[in-house]
Each structure stands twice: as C-alpha cells, then as structure tokens.
C-alpha cells in the first residue's frame, strides 16, 4: 500500500502535523509533512496520541460477519422492492399500498417520505423500500447490500414487457430474489393481462398456474383494486422463503437513504436486518458514526426500538452516510469512532490517489 502521509494522518486525527512530526522524531523516524508512513507507524503514532487505529484489509473493512445460533433465529417480515418500466405505475402502486396500510391501521396518519414504509395486512408486516430507480438497486447490490427479499415487478397491462422490465428481471435474478408480478392498469380498456404473462415466459418469469415459479396478481393502482390480493401474495412468497433473523443482539443493517436536514442535522433511514436498534445505541455507517438521538417511523412518530426488517429514520450521526452503506451498532463508542475515522482516512487517500492518477493521464493525453 502507498501509506498515509503525515499531513493526512494529522487531518484524520484532527491534530497538528507538528505533533505527529515530533512523535515520529522521538520514535527515531524523522519525516516531513508530505512523506508517507507505514501502517505500523500510523498505529504507533495514533496509539501515542491515545487513539486506536487498526489498519484493516478491504474485506475486514467492508463487511461485518456475524454468526447466529439457529435457536436464536425468529421469523421476520419480508422486505420488498417495487421495480418496473418507467410509467408502468411503481409510484402509484406504492401509494395505493401505503393508503391501504394507513387506512387499515393508522386512520388519518400522514405518511412522509423516508425511503421506506411498513404496511400491515392480516396482522402481518411488510416493509417496502423505495429504491430510487434501478441504478440505485444495482449500486447497492454491487456493494454487497442485501436490501430486499422479494421484488414486485410492475408491468402495465396495456404496454407489456419493455426494456426496463427486462432490466429489472435481470437484476432480480442476479441477486437471487424471487419476483412477484403485479400486472397493473387492468382498469384500462386496452389492458391485456394475459399477453403480459405470455411475454414474460420468454424471460423465464412463468406463472405458477402455467407450471412456473412466479406468482402473478392483476391490479389497478389507480382504482386500488387487487391491492390486498397483492399484499397477501407477497406474504405467501415470504412464507416460502422462511425469513428469519436474531432480534436479540446488537443491530446491523443498511442505510436506505440519507440527507442533511437544516434543523435536525444528518438524517438517515436505516433498514435493520439483524438485532434490535435502540435509541441511545452507538453505530457506524460507512464513514459516519454517532449515538442514535431519536428514531422516527414513516408517520413521524418517535419509536424506541427497531427490529429486524423495520425501517426507521435516525438522528444523531456526525455526517451523512451513503445509501447502501452497512451500519452496525458498537458497544464501545470509541471503537465506533475509530472505525469511522479509519474509513474517512482511507477514502481521503483513495481520493488523492485518484486525483494524481487523473493528472497523470491528462498529462499523457496532452503529449
Ligand atoms: P412509475 O414511473 O412507474 O412510477 O409510474 P407512475 O406511478 O408515475 O404512473 C405513471 C402514469 O400511469 C401516471 O399517469 C399514473 O396516473 C398512471 N397509472 C398508474 N397506475 C395506473 C392504473 O392502475 N391505471 C391507470 N389507468 N393509470 C395508472
Ligand atoms: Mg415513479
């Protein structure tokens, strides 16, 4: 590896470069601001400054590994993503679904956008994640984020299979996520739901009634018909998957979306996939860390805890993490801070290397 320069380490640790140079001198390794340090030296100097830095391998850095005893696993609700071609009715369908959830559960409750929503059907929960498009889904998957158990593929009955329908099928298959097909706009006079079924056969999405693996439901997001049927079908598909998680441990999961709110600071929607997240927990998400100051559900209500498959908005992070970042609760706040700092440091180095690289290429292309 290239190593970290004295200046970069000083910035990452928020100390003066002279402080580091002095310590390096005392350690018998005089270096200047722009010289780089070995991993061992970085750890030594950081230790000297009362900070623990451990240089981690990319594998260690990007994934947390967990082990659960099978006896600790309990059933958890399904997490669902709606995908499909533009204008086939993804947003309308999510609205119709949320309306159902609100109508049956929290009459009059105002749903606000947090990037995910939970609905109840027959006393069971389903969590919907609003991935802002296929690219986000692909990006998250590329980072190893497992954010969805079931994909609802929306296909307009008057339009049939289109390019982004095929793209969605490919994404779902590559991720090994089962597809439930919502044949939408069945209210339209020129709707042909059977033609949608026929067209999808070519892409390996075959209705159960034709001997295939996929459940199909005819719906109209506009007239709100078939919505309960769709939700029940999602639960049937979830039952097949036997989704489980250990709720009785420190929480981990993924960032669904995050932003900087003028009044509230960094705000992130997290999807818990293991353990239970509590107000007061300290977590790391990508390069951010912090203590959870408050948790809110999609109606803006304060909640005290979030269980596996729950999505909640959290306040209290020191910076804005990226969608798809994994989060994890730490017992010790210092460990959390150290990991977040290490990551920022590494990102800064990578950024600088990129800059150098680009400069070099530009130089050559101009020759
Ligand atoms: P998205 O791009 O997939 O999110 O699609 P939208 O939800 O924005 O819907 C695109 C257009 O189709 C809008 O004008 C909707 O009003 C309309 N639409 C959505 N669902 C239905 C439906 O079930 N029936 C009819 N007739 N129109 C629909
Ligand atoms: Mg939309």
């Amino acid at each position: 590896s290239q190593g970290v320069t004295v200046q970069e380490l000083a910035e990452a640790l928020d100390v003066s470069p002279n402080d580091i140079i002095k310590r390096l001198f005392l350690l018998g390794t005089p270096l200047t601001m722009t010289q780089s340090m070995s991993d061992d030296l970085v750890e030594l100097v950081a230790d000297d400054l009362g900070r623990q830095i451990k240089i981690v391998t990319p594998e260690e850095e990007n994934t947390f590994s967990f082990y659960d005893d099978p006896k600790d696993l309990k059933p958890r609700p399904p997490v669902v993503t709606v995908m499909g071609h533009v204008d086939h009715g993804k947003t309308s369908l999510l609205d119709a679904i949320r309306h159902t959830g609100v109508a049956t559960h929290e009459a009059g409750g105002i749903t606000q956008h947090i990037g995910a929503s939970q609905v109840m059907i027959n006393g069971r929960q389903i969590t919907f994640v609003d991935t802002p498009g296929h690219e986000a889904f692909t990006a998250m998957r590329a980072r190893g984020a497992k954010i969805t158990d079931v994909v609802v593929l929306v296909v307009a009955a008057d339009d049939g299979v289109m390019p982004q329908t095929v793209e969605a099928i490919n994404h779902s298959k590559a991720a090994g996520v089962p597809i439930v097909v919502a044949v939408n706009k069945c209210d339209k006079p020129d709707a042909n739901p059977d033609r949608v079924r026929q067209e999808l056969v070519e892409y390996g999405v075959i209705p159960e009634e034709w001997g295939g693996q996929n459940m199909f439901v005819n719906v109209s997001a506009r007239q709100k018909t078939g919505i309960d049927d769709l939700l029940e079908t999602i639960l049937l598909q979830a039952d097949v998957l036997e989704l489980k998680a250990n709720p009785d441990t420190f929480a981990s999961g993924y960032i669904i979306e995050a932003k900087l709110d003028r009044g509230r600071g960094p705000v992130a929607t997290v999807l818990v996939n293991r353990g239970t997240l509590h107000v007061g927990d300290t977590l790391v998400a990508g390069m951010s860390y912090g203590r959870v100051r408050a948790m809110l559900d999609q109606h803006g209500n304060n909640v005290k805890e979030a269980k596996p498959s729950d999505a909640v908005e959290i306040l209290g992070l020191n910076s804005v993490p990226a969608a798809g970042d994994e989060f994890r609760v730490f017992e010790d706040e210092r460990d959390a801070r150290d990991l977040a700092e290490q990551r920022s440091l590494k990102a800064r180095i990578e950024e600088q290397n990129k800059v150098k690289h680009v400069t070099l290429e530009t130089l050559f292309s101009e020759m």
Side-chain angles (χ1 to χ4, degrees):
S1 80
Q2 292 259 359
V4 185
T5 68
V6 171
Q7 187 162 18
E8 285 162 354
L9 183 66
E11 279 171 25
L13 295 176
D14 201 19
V15 297
S16 118
N18 278 334
D19 236 22
I20 292 183
I21 289 169
K22 216 156 41 189
R23 274 159 219 273
L24 283 169
F25 183 81
L26 293 174
L27 287 165
T29 40
L31 289 177
T32 60
M33 290 270 276
T34 53
Q35 281 184 297
S36 32
M37 307 163 62
S38 69
D39 290 354
D40 286 348
L41 260 185
V42 168
E43 284 178 19
L44 263 174
V45 170
D47 193 47
D48 246 12
L49 291 161
R51 305 287 190 82
Q52 266 201 354
I53 278 204
K54 190 173 155 282
I55 305 293
V56 291
T57 64
E59 296 77 48
E60 276 178 291
E61 191 203 10
N62 293 323
T63 52
F64 299 119
S65 45
F66 302 106
Y67 173 75
D68 285 309
D69 196 318
K71 74 170 166 38
D72 295 327
L73 298 176
K74 310 237 165 73
R76 65 170 178 85
V79 180
V80 178
T81 304
V82 175
M83 297 178 92
H85 195 71
V86 65
D87 282 344
H88 279 200
K90 297 177 295 293
T91 303
S92 307
L93 187 63
L94 273 168
D95 284 348
I97 287 167
R98 277 194 205 104
H99 182 84
T100 306
V102 171
T104 51
H105 239 247
E106 221 147 336
I110 300 159
T111 311
Q112 48 192 41
H113 179 86
I114 68 164
S117 46
Q118 293 169 202
V119 299
M120 299 293 287
I121 178 96
N122 304 335
R124 292 176 64 187
Q125 178 183 323
I126 304 175
T127 302
F128 284 88
V129 175
D130 318 335
T131 45
H134 295 188
E135 272 166 40
F137 186 86
T138 318
M140 284 196 195
R141 210 164 51 74
R143 305 166 78 163
K146 177 89 173 81
I147 55 147
T148 193
D149 302 306
V150 175
V151 163
V152 168
L153 179 65
V154 181
V155 188
D158 60 337
D159 205 22
V161 172
M162 297 301 277
Q164 286 169 284
T165 316
V166 177
E167 215 178 278
I169 294 168
N170 292 338
H171 289 327
S172 312
K173 291 202 163 173
V177 179
I179 297 169
V180 169
V181 183
V183 183
N184 191 32
K185 307 199 186 183
C186 284
D187 59 288
K188 286 190 132 183
D190 53 344
N192 191 344
D194 273 342
R195 201 193 67 198
V196 171
R197 285 168 172 77
Q198 278 155 20
E199 286 178 355
L200 283 171
V201 168
E202 196 185 318
Y203 301 95
V205 178
I206 305 161
E208 279 191 327
E209 59 266 33
W210 295 0
Q213 302 272 312
N214 298 94
M215 301 186 207
F216 279 64
V217 184
N218 291 346
V219 302
S220 164
R222 177 167 292 175
Q223 300 194 332
K224 300 191 170 55
T225 54
I227 306 299
D228 281 357
D229 195 10
L230 175 63
L231 296 177
E232 280 161 20
T233 303
I234 292 167
L235 288 176
L236 276 176
Q237 177 65 68
D239 287 341
V240 174
L241 299 172
E242 295 187 67
L243 304 166
K244 289 189 173 123
N246 176 7
D248 302 312
T249 183
F250 295 115
S252 57
Y254 295 102
I255 303 295
I256 296 300
E257 58 175 53
K259 60 173 188 237
L260 188 62
D261 184 291
R262 277 189 82 173
R264 302 183 296 166
V267 176
T269 298
V270 303
L271 174 70
V272 177
N273 68 358
R274 178 175 182 268
T276 299
L277 183 64
H278 308 270
V279 170
D281 282 350
T282 294
L283 60 84
V284 173
M287 292 183 267
S288 314
Y289 78 99
R291 183 186 289 263
V292 179
R293 196 168 75 225
M295 286 204 287
L296 305 149
D297 66 13
Q298 80 241 37
H299 306 292
N301 299 320
N302 275 290
V303 290
K304 288 236 146 55
E305 55 174 37
K307 297 201 168 291
S309 301
D310 281 346
V312 289
E313 212 175 46
I314 61 164
L315 311 184
L317 291 175
N318 72 329
S319 62
V320 182
D325 276 345
E326 190 171 17
F327 83 84
R328 178 191 177 180
V329 167
F330 279 72
E331 201 167 3
D332 186 338
E333 190 156 356
R334 240 186 335 183
D335 290 342
R337 190 188 62 192
D338 287 346
L339 180 61
E341 278 177 357
Q342 269 168 41
R343 287 174 169 180
S344 323
L345 181 65
K346 191 160 171 278
R348 201 172 308 176
I349 295 163
E350 275 168 8
E351 196 51 48
Q352 292 199 344
N353 286 344
K354 222 186 293 170
V355 170
K356 278 178 211 151
H357 185 69
V358 169
T359 315
L360 211 63
E361 273 191 351
T362 321
L363 203 71
F364 281 122
S365 70
E366 279 168 3
M367 282 170 78

